[in-house]
C-alpha cells in the first residue's frame, strides 16, 4: 500500500480505509467462504477429497500438466457416505468443485473470444483446503461478488482460471463480471519478471531518489499508452486509457532500465 501511494495510485476503499465492503482481508472473511462452500455442498456441486498431492500425481496420466499440478482424476468423486466417514477418521478432507464436461466460453477484453475446458485441463478442483483455508478460486469469486466488482483486469497468466471462476459464479447464482487479461512483463529470458532478474523493488527505487512519474511513465509506455521517456502520474493516464491500446504480447523490461531511473 505504501509503494502504491508513493507511485500516486489511489483507491476508493480497502484495508487502510473504511468502506461499504469491509472487511477487506481474506482472513477476516472466512464466514463468507464457509457459507459459499455449504451452498455448493448442499447443491451437490462440491464433495470431500481425501487424496494427498502425491496420490493425485501418482494417479494422473499427465503428472506435470499446468502450473497448478496434474489433472485430478476423480478418485473421491463418488465415494459412499460410509467410505467418506471411514476416510475422515484418517485425515480431514479438502473440498473439490464437481466440474461437468464441456468448454466454458467468454469474451476477454484483451484476448477476445476465449474457451477453456476445466474438466479436461484440471478436473474437479479444490475450493477449500484440508486445513479449512479457502482456495484462491473460491475466495476471489466470493469477494468479487460481495464487493460488486463488474470488471476484472489482471495478468494473462490467470486466463485459464477464468473458466473455473465462471463455473463458481454460476453455481452460486452470482453475476459474472467482465474480464480483461493483460500480458505480463518479462525479463530478457522471456520469463515473468522476478527477483532472479535483479529488478529493483519500488521501495528500493524510492530510497534511491527515483521520480515516481518516471516509473509510471515507463510502465505506461510498456502498456502502449504513452511514448517512451514520458513522465506522468496515474491520474493523468485515466482520460486516455483504453484496453485496445494494450499490446497482446508480453512486455520486455530490462532491469538496467529500471536502475537508471533511481
Amino acid at each position: 500500500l505504501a509503494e502504491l501511494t508513493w507511485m500516486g495510485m489511489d483507491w476508493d476503499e480497502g484495508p487502510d480505509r473504511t468502506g461499504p465492503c469491509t472487511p477487506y482481508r481474506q482472513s477476516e472473511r472466512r464466514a463468507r467462504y464457509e457459507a459459499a462452500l455449504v451452498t455448493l455442498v448442499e447443491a451437490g456441486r462440491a464433495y470431500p477429497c481425501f487424496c494427498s498431492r502425491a496420490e493425485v500425481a501418482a494417479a494422473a496420466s499427465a503428472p506435470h500438466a499446468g502450473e497448478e499440478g496434474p489433472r485430478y482424476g476423480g478418485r473421491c468423486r463418488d465415494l459412499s457416505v460410509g467410505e467418506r466417514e471411514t476416510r475422515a477418521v484418517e485425515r480431514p478432507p479438502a473440498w473439490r468443485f464437481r466440474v461437468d464436461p464441456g468448454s466454458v466460453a467468454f469474451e476477454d477484453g484483451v484476448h477476445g473470444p476465449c474457451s477453456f475446458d476445466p474438466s479436461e485441463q484440471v478436473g474437479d478442483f479444490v475450493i477449500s483446503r484440508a486445513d479449512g483455508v479457502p482456495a484462491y478460486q473460491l475466495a476471489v469469486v466470493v469477494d468479487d461478488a460481495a464487493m460488486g466488482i463488474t470488471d476484472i483486469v489482471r495478468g494473462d497468466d490467470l486466463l485459464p482460471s477464468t473458466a473455473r471462476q465462471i463455473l463458481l459464479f454460476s453455481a452460486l447464482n452470482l453475476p459474472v463480471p467482465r474480464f480483461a487479461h493483460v500480458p505480463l512483463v518479462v525479463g530478457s529470458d522471456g520469463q515473468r519478471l522476478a527477483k532472479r532478474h535483479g529488478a529493483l523493488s519500488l521501495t528500493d527505487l524510492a530510497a534511491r531518489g527515483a521520480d515516481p512519474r518516471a516509473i509510471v511513465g515507463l510502465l505506461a509506455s510498456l502498456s502502449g499508452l504513452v511514448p517512451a521517456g514520458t513522465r506522468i502520474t496515474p491520474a493523468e493516464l485515466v482520460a486516455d486509457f483504453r484496453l485496445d491500446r494494450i499490446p497482446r504480447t508480453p512486455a520486455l523490461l530490462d532491469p538496467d532500465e529500471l536502475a537508471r531511473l533511481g
Side-chain angles (χ1 to χ4, degrees):
L1 295 177
E3 288 181 332
L4 292 173
T5 299
W6 177 75
M7 289 270 286
M9 296 288 290
D10 193 18
W11 44 91
D12 299 317
E13 53 185 288
D16 62 333
R17 61 192 70 182
T18 59
C21 296
T22 189
Y24 300 95
R25 291 181 172 84
Q26 289 187 339
S27 59
E28 300 172 357
R29 301 174 66 81
R30 291 283 288 273
R32 295 174 184 264
Y33 310 136
E34 292 168 359
L37 177 60
V38 168
T39 297
L40 294 172
V41 171
E42 291 180 345
R45 299 306 306 272
Y47 63 88
C49 175
F50 305 91
C51 300
S52 66
R53 290 186 179 182
E55 289 170 335
V56 173
S61 57
H64 301 293
E67 291 185 0
E68 298 184 39
R71 177 185 180 279
Y72 181 66
R75 179 181 179 185
C76 293
R77 192 179 227 258
D78 298 312
L79 293 179
S80 67
V81 174
E83 288 173 318
R84 291 177 178 179
E85 291 175 348
T86 298
R87 297 195 182 190
V89 173
E90 302 172 354
R91 65 192 312 168
W95 289 84
R96 290 184 180 272
F97 181 76
R98 192 182 296 272
V99 179
D100 295 330
S103 297
V104 177
F106 59 94
E107 184 76 19
D108 187 75
V110 173
H111 292 273
C114 294
S115 180
F116 296 91
D117 187 344
S119 67
E120 289 296 327
Q121 294 172 319
V122 295
D124 297 341
F125 55 91
V126 173
I127 55 176
S128 184
R129 297 180 352 193
D131 59 5
V133 175
Y136 163 76
Q137 307 292 355
L138 179 65
V140 295
V141 165
V142 172
D143 288 345
D144 288 341
M147 296 183 183
I149 301 300
T150 59
D151 292 81
I152 296 171
V153 181
R154 59 190 184 188
D156 62 11
D157 56 328
L158 291 172
L159 192 59
S161 291
T162 306
R164 279 169 275 169
Q165 291 163 19
I166 289 174
L167 291 178
L168 286 172
F169 277 114
S170 299
L172 291 167
N173 293 315
L174 299 173
V176 180
R178 292 181 291 267
F179 293 90
H181 291 81
V182 299
L184 301 180
V185 178
V186 299
S188 56
D189 58 358
Q191 300 299 310
R192 179 169 50 187
L193 196 68
K195 291 182 179 179
R196 66 176 177 275
H197 294 101
L200 296 168
S201 69
L202 291 177
T203 296
D204 294 332
L205 290 165
R208 295 171 59 160
D211 181 352
R213 296 175 306 152
I215 297 170
V216 172
L218 173 60
L219 296 174
S221 67
L222 292 174
S223 302
L225 302 177
V226 298
T230 300
R231 292 177 180 244
I232 196 168
T233 67
E236 292 171 322
L237 287 169
V238 173
D240 293 327
F241 176 80
R242 297 198 314 270
L243 278 174
D244 61 11
R245 297 175 64 184
I246 295 177
R248 270 49 177 174
T249 56
L252 176 64
L253 176 61
D254 182 354
D256 292 338
E257 190 173 3
L258 268 183
R260 287 192 291 270
L261 299 178

